[in-house]
Amino acid sequence: MKCSAPSAGSVSTRGRPREFDPDEALAAALRVFWTRGYEGASMAELTEAMGITKPSLYACFGNKEALFKKTLDLYERDKLAYMGKALEAPSARGVAERLLKGALATHCGESDPHGCLGVISTVACTPEADSIRADVIQRRASSEAAVIKRFEQARDEGDLPESVCPTKLAGCLTTVLQGLSVKAQGGARPEELQGSVDTFLAMWPGR
């Protein structure tokens, strides 16, 4: 897929409009949002990183909010792919272990910005960006609902004790995942975060 950058001249301007790869531009925008958060990312930073003009950005991606939501889609597809695989683990503990391992690799890796794009953006958003916060929260709720369903299955199969509430356990896991993101963004060392993961899993209520 290619997008054409709008011409600055008249319709009769010589030559064809310059084209750019929207996938590459979107990946560049993702890095900016991931580093700066939604509100911290300026249009100047975005267009510079994407290698396009502001009119080109609007023409291909819509406004800043629409662009951010497209980068969230890309982030979920490429960076959070481990979440779907985690739910396929044979035990509830395995689900938690895969999610935590995937979060550490994603939030503390060497090639990408540290922290979670969703957490960074919701924490930094002001009331003027309520729609962004609401979208991120809705996506997070959908992911947590999938984990709850998986933990309910685990309890029905005897993998989790009857006394365990799948909803509360999933909420606890989500809190740990978000905490890892915040600490990673704050510069916590990988070994420190791994220690938190190991401690949490050592307290797991089941096999």
Side-chain angles (χ1 to χ4, degrees), residues 60-144:
C60 194
F61 300 104
N63 59 17
K64 182 182 177 182
E65 181 177 337
L67 173 65
F68 179 75
K69 290 180 179 179
K70 287 183 173 66
T71 64
L72 273 179
D73 292 338
L74 176 62
Y75 177 74
E76 290 180 346
R77 187 184 74 232
D78 289 1
K79 305 301 181 180
L80 303 185
Y82 66 87
M83 297 187 71
K85 297 177 181 177
L87 295 175
E88 299 173 357
S91 68
R93 188 184 189 281
V95 171
E97 188 171 7
R98 289 186 185 183
L99 286 173
L100 292 163
K101 181 179 180 180
L104 283 181
T106 302
H107 302 156
C108 307
E110 297 181 358
S111 59
D112 291 320
H114 286 183
C116 169
L117 174 60
V119 173
I120 292 169
S121 297
T122 51
V123 169
C125 274
T126 62
E128 287 73 24
D130 278 346
S131 62
I132 291 297
R133 182 185 291 106
D135 183 61
V136 172
I137 290 175
Q138 182 180 12
R139 292 170 186 252
R140 184 183 302 152
S142 176
S143 297
E144 189 167 331

